[in-house]
Amino acid sequence: LMYRHGNHIDLFEEVAGIAEPVLILRGERSDRFPRAAAERAAQGIGDARLVELPGLGHFAPMEAPDVVAGLVAQFFGEDPAPG
């Protein structure tokens, strides 16, 4: 749940309208994005792929940038650049 201009909004209702493929990345140790919320978001989007990143927290792109970049590149059908 989030707040917009002081009004409560339900993000799960908002994501239901997304028609494009979506990659949801969640750090396994994230204390800001619970697994249940990630699963609910993924279920609410018609074409979502949820990937849980083992051992990582909420800031997965900063903790493991090469891993995240590789997953994003793979999602878009590209070969990740050699590290």
Side-chain angles (χ1 to χ4, degrees):
L1 302 177
M2 298 282 291
Y3 294 88
R4 181 186 301 158
H5 306 294
N7 296 320
H8 178 265
I9 61 169
D10 184 344
L11 284 183
F12 298 111
E13 289 179 12
E14 298 287 322
V15 300
I18 297 173
E20 300 299 322
V22 173
L23 175 63
I24 301 173
L25 300 177
R26 180 191 177 274
E28 172 188 45
R29 295 178 28 227
S30 176
D31 59 350
R32 305 280 182 196
F33 189 32
R35 179 184 209 148
E39 290 172 347
R40 185 174 173 197
Q43 291 171 355
I45 300 170
D47 189 8
R49 178 176 163 208
L50 172 61
V51 177
E52 188 161 276
L53 304 168
L56 298 180
H58 186 67
F59 297 102
M62 293 173 19
E63 297 171 45
D66 291 342
V67 170
V68 172
L71 289 167
V72 171
Q74 184 180 42
F75 181 74
F76 286 108
E78 302 171 7
D79 287 330

